[in-house]
Amino acid sequence: IIRCSRFHLSFSQSSISSLISLFCLLQYGNFVDNLRLYVRGGSGGMGLPRLGGQGGKGGDVWVVATKNMTLKRIKDKYPQKRFIGEAGANSSVRALKGEKGKDMEILAPIGITVTTDDGKIVGDMNTEGDRLMVVKGGPGGTFHSAFEPSKGQTKHIRLDLKLIADLGLVGFPNAGKSSLLTAMSNATPQIANYSFTTLKPEIGKVMYEDYKQISVADLPGLIEGAHINKGMGHKFLKHVERTKQLLFVVDVCGFQLASKTPFRSPFEAVLLLTKELELYKEELVSKPALLVVNKMDLPDAEDKLAELKEQLQNPDEFSHLLPDDMIPKSCITFRHIVPVSASTGFGVDRLKRCIRESLDEDSTMATKAIHQDRLQALRCHSHQHL
């Protein structure tokens, strides 16, 4: 958390864009759920007029759905975000028909939508191995083109991770996620079926007085060891990637999954949930998150809540309660900690306000980032034409 209230800061116009980028980085951390790429098909090869030779076609550019791939990995591996097909070979005496240029493949995560810059859907990548051609290579030179080759197609595309909901409920079984969702949405959660998964998360709609709707996904309960695929671990964690923000739900009195498993306090539950997300994909932990402390109607709940808040403020002092391999590398800083009782309705209205505030904040930041992106693209474009 950065506190700037004590300082009087003045910025030059040029530093504003850097600040917006910095705030976006702070806001979204390492998690990337959309990416803008430049794609260009390879140019065709030259024809050979005196022998009627035909130049090779330029390579195409494809998006290929690949297991264990993330948009962040693409961004890190290709910082320029440019993908260009190979040029076709020229026609020659040895090879009258020039060889086709190699295709360029963009290995992308499963569960993305490929769109054009203006939002038109090019295609969905729902299962491993799905392939989508985004630009074609240019034809080689032939008799009909006076043996002159053509350039490949050029465009900007966006890879968007398909979100199933604004918020994903994260918690161990018995934390009261389903009853919380019912209390928030005043309705029986709808069952949504998504073509890219065999699991059906429950999606509840939270309605506000101004008719704004926010979708909340109740994902199947996590269990310790989910990252190594105990229970439905991986399927659960795959859904977590597809929500804008996380809503951690813990039982104020702690929980014990079975008689043979250790009792976990609410603080330990928060650390273990964080660790499970971190072990699956580290960048998940940088998603914006809120913490709901449920079952506040139980005896001694207030004392236990005060203890939990103290532990969350000084996590390093209390993390020794867990073995080293269960302690996350970094603790999540929750935007809001909201005590509720799903069964009595206590705190539910405040929770709805906090959720709205958090999502609106991100929406404003995202809009600023898009404007900044477009402004930067216009500047680059105008520099190229000077």
Side-chain angles (χ1 to χ4, degrees), residues 339-368:
V340 305
S341 166
S343 60
T344 68
F346 162 76
V348 171
D349 283 341
R350 184 182 163 225
L351 173 60
K352 285 163 77 169
R353 285 196 301 274
C354 290
I355 288 169
R356 176 75 183 265
E357 193 182 300
S358 186
L359 284 164
D360 285 353
E361 196 182 321
D362 272 8
S363 175
T364 306
M365 289 304 301
T367 307
K368 280 184 184 172

Side-chain angles (χ1 to χ4, degrees), residues 2-259:
I2 294 180
R3 303 186 191 281
C4 298
S5 53
R6 280 183 244 166
F7 305 106
H8 296 287
L9 301 174
S10 62
F11 303 111
S12 66
Q13 190 62 40
S14 62
S15 64
I16 296 291
S17 60
S18 314
L19 270 173
I20 289 172
S21 305
L22 171 65
F23 282 133
C24 288
L25 186 66
L26 291 171
Q27 203 77 15
Y28 300 111
N30 292 321
F31 192 81
V32 179
D33 61 9
N34 68 79
L35 209 53
R36 184 173 184 260
L37 308 176
Y38 171 82
V39 289
R40 189 175 83 211
S43 298
M46 293 285 292
L48 189 63
R50 62 193 174 92
L51 296 175
Q54 188 176 333
K57 179 185 174 295
D60 308 317
V61 179
W62 295 76
V63 177
V64 183
T66 311
K67 203 175 174 183
N68 298 326
M69 180 52 70
T70 67
L71 293 178
K72 184 176 185 298
R73 282 184 199 158
I74 300 174
K75 190 180 174 186
D76 291 346
K77 192 174 177 183
Y78 303 97
Q80 300 297 317
K81 295 180 281 189
R82 292 168 68 86
F83 296 86
I84 300 167
E86 188 182 60
N90 295 334
S91 170
S92 64
V93 176
R94 286 184 183 173
L96 278 182
K97 191 169 178 15
E99 208 172 304
K100 182 185 182 297
K102 281 183 189 165
D103 291 346
M104 165 60 82
E105 291 188 346
I106 305 168
L107 304 183
I110 300 162
I112 60 160
T113 300
V114 182
T115 62
T116 57
D117 236 1
D118 54 4
K120 189 177 166 191
I121 293 176
V122 182
D124 292 319
M125 315 296 285
N126 292 328
T127 49
E128 190 179 354
D130 279 357
R131 294 171 63 82
L132 183 68
M133 189 195 292
V134 285
V135 283
K136 290 179 180 176
T142 64
F143 172 77
H144 300 291
S145 66
F147 300 97
E148 287 294 320
S150 300
K151 290 183 176 177
Q153 294 174 331
T154 300
K155 65 170 78 158
H156 279 95
I157 60 167
R158 286 186 183 270
L159 306 184
D160 283 305
L161 196 61
K162 282 190 287 194
L163 296 175
I164 58 169
D166 296 309
L167 278 174
L169 295 179
V170 178
F172 290 117
N174 95 328
K177 300 197 313 315
S178 295
S179 48
L180 178 66
L181 184 57
T182 305
M184 281 199 300
S185 56
N186 300 321
T188 308
Q190 305 158 355
I191 305 293
N193 188 9
Y194 293 94
S195 53
F196 52 82
T197 172
T198 55
L199 218 110
K200 299 183 179 71
E202 291 189 335
I203 308 286
K205 295 279 184 191
V206 180
M207 179 76 87
Y208 289 84
E209 284 179 4
D210 61 355
Y211 301 107
K212 164 90 173 174
Q213 280 191 19
I214 283 172
S215 53
V216 185
D218 178 15
L219 308 165
L222 253 187
I223 60 169
E224 288 178 40
H227 68 280
I228 48 173
N229 223 1
K230 281 187 191 171
M232 302 185 209
H234 265 198
K235 288 175 181 172
F236 163 85
L237 291 160
K238 201 164 71 176
H239 288 308
V240 173
E241 286 185 89
R242 301 201 173 114
T243 59
K244 285 182 192 170
Q245 300 193 0
L246 305 179
L247 196 62
F248 280 58
V249 184
V250 296
D251 183 332
V252 71
C253 294
F255 82 103
Q256 189 169 12
L257 201 56
S259 55

Side-chain angles (χ1 to χ4, degrees), residues 280-345:
Y280 176 69
K281 268 191 192 123
E282 212 167 305
E283 63 232 49
L284 287 182
V285 181
S286 59
K287 272 181 181 267
L290 294 82
L291 174 63
V292 175
V293 186
N294 196 10
K295 306 190 184 178
M296 288 300 293
D297 52 302
L298 295 176
D300 304 323
E302 286 296 337
D303 293 342
K304 286 170 179 164
L305 174 66
E307 186 185 358
L308 171 62
K309 283 183 173 175
E310 187 192 347
Q311 290 170 323
L312 288 170
Q313 278 182 330
N314 308 290
D316 294 342
E317 287 180 33
F318 297 96
S319 52
H320 66 270
L321 299 167
L322 285 171
D324 285 350
D325 62 346
M326 289 186 173
I327 299 167
K329 288 181 191 172
S330 56
C331 290
I332 291 177
T333 303
F334 294 104
R335 288 183 173 183
H336 301 278
I337 297 174
V338 190
V340 305
S341 166
S343 60
T344 68

